[in-house]
Coordinates of all heavy atoms in Angstrom, one line a residue:
Q240 N 37.3 8.1 -35.8 CA 38.2 7.4 -36.7 C 39.5 6.9 -36.0 O 40.0 5.8 -36.4 CB 38.6 8.4 -37.9 CG 37.4 8.8 -38.7 CD 36.7 7.6 -39.3 OE1 37.3 6.5 -39.6 NE2 35.4 7.8 -39.6
T241 N 40.0 7.7 -35.0 CA 41.2 7.2 -34.3 C 40.9 5.9 -33.5 O 41.7 5.0 -33.5 CB 41.8 8.3 -33.4 OG1 42.0 9.5 -34.2 CG2 43.1 7.8 -32.7
I242 N 39.7 5.9 -32.9 CA 39.3 4.7 -32.1 C 39.1 3.5 -33.0 O 39.6 2.4 -32.7 CB 38.1 5.0 -31.3 CG1 38.4 6.0 -30.1 CG2 37.5 3.7 -30.7 CD1 37.2 6.5 -29.4
I243 N 38.5 3.8 -34.2 CA 38.3 2.7 -35.1 C 39.6 2.1 -35.6 O 39.8 0.8 -35.6 CB 37.5 3.2 -36.4 CG1 36.0 3.5 -36.0 CG2 37.5 2.1 -37.5 CD1 35.3 4.2 -37.1
L244 N 40.5 2.9 -35.9 CA 41.8 2.5 -36.5 C 42.7 1.8 -35.5 O 43.5 0.9 -35.8 CB 42.6 3.6 -37.1 CG 41.9 4.2 -38.4 CD1 42.6 5.6 -38.7 CD2 42.1 3.3 -39.5
L245 N 42.6 2.2 -34.2 CA 43.6 1.7 -33.2 C 43.0 1.0 -32.0 O 43.7 0.7 -31.1 CB 44.4 3.0 -32.7 CG 45.2 3.7 -33.8 CD1 45.8 5.0 -33.2 CD2 46.3 2.9 -34.4
A246 N 41.7 0.6 -32.1 CA 41.1 -0.1 -31.0 C 41.7 -1.4 -30.7 O 41.9 -1.8 -29.6 CB 39.6 -0.2 -31.3
T247 N 42.0 -2.2 -31.8 CA 42.5 -3.5 -31.6 C 44.0 -3.5 -31.0 O 44.4 -4.3 -30.2 CB 42.5 -4.4 -32.9 OG1 43.1 -3.6 -33.9 CG2 41.1 -4.7 -33.3
I248 N 44.7 -2.5 -31.5 CA 46.1 -2.3 -31.0 C 46.0 -1.9 -29.5 O 46.8 -2.4 -28.7 CB 46.9 -1.2 -31.8 CG1 47.1 -1.8 -33.2 CG2 48.2 -0.8 -31.1 CD1 47.9 -0.9 -34.1
F249 N 45.0 -1.1 -29.1 CA 44.8 -0.7 -27.7 C 44.5 -2.0 -26.9 O 45.1 -2.2 -25.8 CB 43.7 0.2 -27.5 CG 43.3 0.6 -26.1 CD1 44.0 1.5 -25.4 CD2 42.2 -0.1 -25.5 CE1 43.6 1.8 -24.1 CE2 41.9 0.2 -24.2 CZ 42.6 1.2 -23.5
G250 N 43.6 -2.8 -27.4 CA 43.3 -4.1 -26.6 C 44.5 -5.0 -26.5 O 44.7 -5.7 -25.5
S251 N 45.3 -5.1 -27.6 CA 46.4 -6.0 -27.6 C 47.6 -5.5 -26.8 O 48.1 -6.2 -25.9 CB 46.9 -6.2 -29.1 OG 48.1 -7.0 -29.1
T252 N 48.0 -4.3 -27.0 CA 49.2 -3.7 -26.3 C 48.9 -3.3 -24.9 O 49.7 -3.6 -24.0 CB 49.7 -2.5 -27.2 OG1 50.0 -3.0 -28.5 CG2 51.0 -2.0 -26.5
E253 N 47.8 -2.6 -24.7 CA 47.5 -1.9 -23.4 C 46.8 -2.9 -22.4 O 47.1 -2.9 -21.2 CB 46.6 -0.7 -23.6 CG 46.5 0.2 -22.3 CD 47.8 0.8 -22.0 OE1 48.6 1.1 -22.9 OE2 48.1 1.1 -20.8
L254 N 45.9 -3.8 -23.0 CA 45.2 -4.7 -22.1 C 45.7 -6.1 -22.1 O 45.2 -6.9 -21.3 CB 43.7 -4.6 -22.5 CG 43.0 -3.2 -22.4 CD1 41.6 -3.3 -22.8 CD2 43.2 -2.6 -21.0
G255 N 46.6 -6.4 -23.0 CA 47.2 -7.7 -23.1 C 46.2 -8.8 -23.5 O 46.3 -10.0 -23.2
L256 N 45.2 -8.4 -24.3 CA 44.1 -9.4 -24.8 C 44.7 -10.2 -26.0 O 45.4 -9.7 -26.8 CB 42.9 -8.6 -25.1 CG 42.2 -7.9 -24.0 CD1 40.9 -7.1 -24.6 CD2 41.8 -8.8 -22.9
G257 N 44.2 -11.4 -26.0 CA 44.6 -12.3 -27.1 C 43.9 -12.0 -28.4 O 42.9 -11.3 -28.4
T258 N 44.3 -12.6 -29.5 CA 43.7 -12.4 -30.8 C 42.3 -12.8 -30.8 O 41.4 -12.1 -31.4 CB 44.5 -13.2 -31.8 OG1 45.9 -12.8 -31.9 CG2 43.9 -13.0 -33.2
I259 N 41.9 -13.9 -30.2 CA 40.5 -14.3 -30.2 C 39.6 -13.3 -29.5 O 38.5 -12.9 -30.0 CB 40.4 -15.7 -29.5 CG1 41.2 -16.8 -30.2 CG2 38.9 -16.1 -29.5 CD1 40.8 -16.9 -31.6
N260 N 40.1 -12.8 -28.3 CA 39.3 -11.8 -27.6 C 39.0 -10.6 -28.5 O 37.9 -10.0 -28.5 CB 40.0 -11.3 -26.3 CG 40.3 -12.5 -25.3 OD1 41.4 -12.9 -25.1 ND2 39.2 -13.0 -24.8
L261 N 40.1 -10.1 -29.2 CA 40.0 -8.9 -30.0 C 39.1 -9.1 -31.2 O 38.3 -8.3 -31.5 CB 41.4 -8.5 -30.4 CG 42.3 -8.1 -29.3 CD1 43.7 -7.9 -29.8 CD2 41.8 -6.8 -28.6
I262 N 39.2 -10.3 -31.8 CA 38.3 -10.6 -33.0 C 36.9 -10.7 -32.6 O 36.0 -10.2 -33.3 CB 38.8 -11.9 -33.7 CG1 40.2 -11.7 -34.3 CG2 37.8 -12.3 -34.8 CD1 40.3 -10.7 -35.4
V263 N 36.6 -11.3 -31.4 CA 35.3 -11.4 -30.9 C 34.7 -10.0 -30.7 O 33.5 -9.8 -31.0 CB 35.2 -12.3 -29.6 CG1 33.8 -12.2 -29.0 CG2 35.5 -13.8 -30.0

């Protein structure tokens, strides 16, 4: 559940991925 809730924040904040990358 923690991964589900915070996966996109991990990708955005930690990996610097853009919105499109995360939505895909």
Side-chain angles (χ1 to χ4, degrees):
Q240 297 299 333
T241 304
I242 289 173
I243 291 172
L244 291 167
L245 300 170
T247 51
I248 290 180
F249 175 83
S251 174
T252 304
E253 192 67 30
L254 303 181
L256 299 177
T258 301
I259 300 301
N260 299 113
L261 296 171
I262 295 294
V263 168

